[in-house]
Amino acid sequence: MKSRTIKPPAEVLYKKELMALQKYDKGAKPANWRLSPKAVRTFILGCDEPLEIDGEQVYITKKFYGDDTLIERCIVTLAGNRGLMLVGEPGTAKTMLSELLTAAICGTSTNTIQGTAGTVEDMIKYSWNYAMLLAKGPSREALVPSPIYIGMEKGIITRLEEITRCPSEVQDSLISILSDKVLNIPELGEDGVVFAESGFNVIATANIRDKGVNEMSSALKRRFNFETVFPIKDLSLEVEIIEKESKKLLNQSGIDIKIDRDAVEILASTFHELRNGVTVEGYRLDKPEAVMSTAEAVSVYFQSAMSAYYYDDGNMSMDRVVQNILGAVMKENRDDLNKIKNYFTLVVKQRSTKEGGLWKDYYSAKKWIK
Ligand SMILES: Nc1ncnc2c1ncn2[C@@H]1O[C@H](COP(=O)(O)OP(=O)(O)OP(=O)(O)O)[C@@H](O)[C@H]1O
Ligand SMILES: [Mg+2]
């Protein structure tokens, strides 16, 4: 099989869509933006009519499902002078949104800092190439710019993933950059000032399960507009996402296998109902502590389809699905196993008699929950 990038960046994956949008874009653009806010919105939310480019019809696909006005607010924030902070439960597409926004606005989604407990101020500002520093002394050539530095210099957006995982003094080094849009490099003397070009901004993401958003300094909080990304409320939308994303992942792995819509529906119901602690009929359930996110459901389906492809002649089975659900759920707490067991005894059993079909197979796969 031909080798290929495991996960191409959004600007590569959707290159044609971006080119088509650029060609027909007549909307007003903030300085240094590749697309107008209207076209950025279309890129993320999709449109029904195809755009023609070089004799080819290009469809702009819908990439984010949920609150459309959230997308508009995010785009407008980025055109202003505050940063954008996307907060929410794990797996609610915060990273995906930040990649799509940067790919559409500045043509690159890879100017990124990944926040960790080990992030230091140098990674936010700049560091030095020591061999060059010794040879030439402090100079622009010896300086290694950070993604923030690059964003300021080129007038593009810098993504800061999981900002709350960074130590607070590192987070605070962003305050002056975000308010004054200036980065000082005292080592370079008079030349040591970088003024941000128009188009520079920051999109940060933070997970509310990892403690941290509350501890962020209020000075830093004021430099950002906060937007919360909520889990998907509508079950049929969740089915659609799991189907579409699994298809995409299988395609990228070179696996040719048909998506089993019934299996996707059962998987989506399980995740949806356990996450919300209530069934579609209105019965209360114990919520597991594990993150029952859409992203996790996608990964369960993808894993199960891979097993079907490699071990079971392409036949998707509910045994595989249940095995993978257990893997996803057992990350946090062993008590969660009982909650899954109860779900099978209370909900899946009833549906297997009432609806039959694949629900029956699903119920018989309960044997894996020990
Ligand atoms: N509302 C949604 N619209 C489209 N896809 C979604 C949505 N919610 C979740 N997904 C799917 O789930 C994946 C979410 O992954 P992503 O890494 O962006 O989440 P995250 O919020 O950054 O999670 P984390 O906090 O763990 O970093 C997406 O790639 C997409 O497949
Ligand atoms: Mg993320």
Side-chain angles (χ1 to χ4, degrees):
M1 198 186 296
K2 212 175 91 202
S3 82
R4 51 185 140 189
T5 317
I6 295 180
K7 185 179 179 280
E11 59 275 20
V12 174
L13 199 59
Y14 302 112
K15 193 170 167 201
K16 277 220 175 107
E17 290 191 22
L18 290 169
M19 273 164 60
L21 282 166
Q22 211 162 11
K23 181 174 165 196
Y24 292 96
D25 192 7
K26 295 205 172 62
K29 281 182 213 158
N32 242 341
W33 280 32
R34 293 206 168 192
L35 293 177
S36 65
K38 260 190 182 168
V40 177
R41 182 183 64 188
T42 308
F43 175 63
I44 296 174
L45 298 175
C47 69
D48 298 332
E49 291 299 311
L51 301 175
E52 199 185 295
I53 179 163
D54 300 331
E56 195 186 333
Q57 309 269 46
V58 177
Y59 281 90
I60 311 299
T61 54
K62 187 170 178 65
K63 301 168 191 73
F64 177 80
Y65 293 79
D67 181 3
D68 291 359
T69 61
L70 165 82
I71 304 299
E72 289 179 347
R73 288 196 305 273
C74 291
I75 299 171
V76 167
T77 292
L78 290 170
N81 59 3
R82 281 187 171 196
L84 171 64
M85 174 79 69
L86 296 171
V87 295
E89 291 272 333
T92 43
K94 301 180 293 296
T95 299
M96 183 188 88
L97 251 184
S98 114
E99 285 169 350
L100 293 173
L101 286 165
T102 45
I105 293 171
C106 41
T108 171
S109 62
T110 53
N111 190 40
T112 306
I113 300 171
Q114 183 66 49
T116 68
T119 305
V120 294
E121 201 171 325
D122 290 5
M123 298 175 189
I124 302 279
K125 294 186 166 173
Y126 57 89
S127 53
W128 299 100
N129 171 335
Y130 286 103
M132 196 84 96
L133 189 63
L134 286 175
K136 302 209 168 167
S139 60
R140 181 61 184 84
E141 287 158 286
L143 184 141
V144 182
S146 70
I148 291 272
Y149 189 120
I150 295 173
M152 293 176 80
E153 205 174 38
K154 293 191 177 167
I156 60 174
I157 296 171
T158 303
R159 293 176 44 223
L160 222 164
E161 282 285 298
E162 309 290 353
I163 185 171
T164 48
R165 309 223 45 183
C166 302
S168 50
E169 64 275 16
V170 176
Q171 292 179 26
D172 286 349
S173 62
L174 275 170
I175 296 176
S176 68
I177 296 175
L178 285 175
S179 40
D180 306 337
K181 312 283 193 241
V182 169
L183 177 63
N184 288 305
I185 310 160
E187 295 91 331
L188 295 188
E190 275 181 9
D191 298 334
V193 189
V194 182
F195 294 100
E197 288 291 315
S198 323
F200 167 67
N201 210 332
V202 172
I203 306 181
T205 63
N207 192 317
I208 49 175
R209 286 255 182 152
D210 288 337
K211 57 175 188 282
V213 178
N214 291 335
E215 282 109 85
M216 193 184 282
S217 71
S218 3
L220 184 59
K221 277 187 191 158
R222 264 191 299 112
R223 266 77 185 174
F224 282 101
N225 280 350
F226 277 60
E227 290 293 347
T228 307
V229 190
F230 290 100
I232 292 162
K233 291 199 182 72
D234 187 87
L235 179 57
S236 58
L237 271 188
E238 193 154 4
V239 171
E240 213 171 304
I241 296 175
I242 300 174
E243 182 168 1
K244 212 183 75 185
E245 288 295 314
S246 305
K247 213 180 260 174
K248 194 167 89 190
L249 290 175
L250 289 165
N251 220 341
Q252 281 170 5
S253 309
I255 292 179
D256 181 20
I257 184 170
K258 244 187 89 192
I259 302 281
D260 184 335
R261 177 81 183 193
D262 291 343
V264 172
E265 280 175 9
I266 289 178
L267 183 63
S269 306
T270 305
F271 272 68
H272 200 86
E273 293 177 319
L274 283 169
R275 181 193 314 134
N276 295 318
V278 56
T279 67
V280 281
E281 298 87 359
Y283 298 125
R284 295 236 152 260
L285 294 168
D286 276 343
K287 288 191 209 177
E289 276 180 34
V291 183
M292 306 298 291
S293 68
T294 312
E296 205 63 59
V298 170
S299 129
V300 167
Y301 191 89
F302 175 55
Q303 288 282 120
S304 310
M306 293 245 285
S307 307
Y309 180 79
Y310 286 117
Y311 300 122
D312 309 329
D313 299 322
N315 298 312
M316 183 79 178
S317 77
M318 294 318 274
D319 287 332
R320 297 285 190 201
V321 173
V322 171
Q323 288 162 8
N324 286 306
I325 289 179
L326 293 180
V329 170
M330 293 305 294
K331 287 178 190 167
E332 303 278 338
N333 192 329
R334 270 205 77 81
D335 284 350
D336 283 353
L337 193 66
N338 289 328
K339 296 178 182 161
I340 300 285
K341 246 189 214 161
N342 281 343
Y343 180 75
F344 271 78
T345 345
L346 296 174
V347 183
V348 181
K349 188 175 177 189
Q350 208 185 47
R351 288 189 193 151
S352 77
T353 41
K354 237 166 114 187
E355 301 189 23
L358 213 53
W359 280 100
K360 259 192 172 142
D361 293 4
Y362 195 38
Y363 186 60
S364 58
K366 179 173 180 272
K367 62 176 181 276
W368 297 102
I369 314 174
K370 296 198 179 90

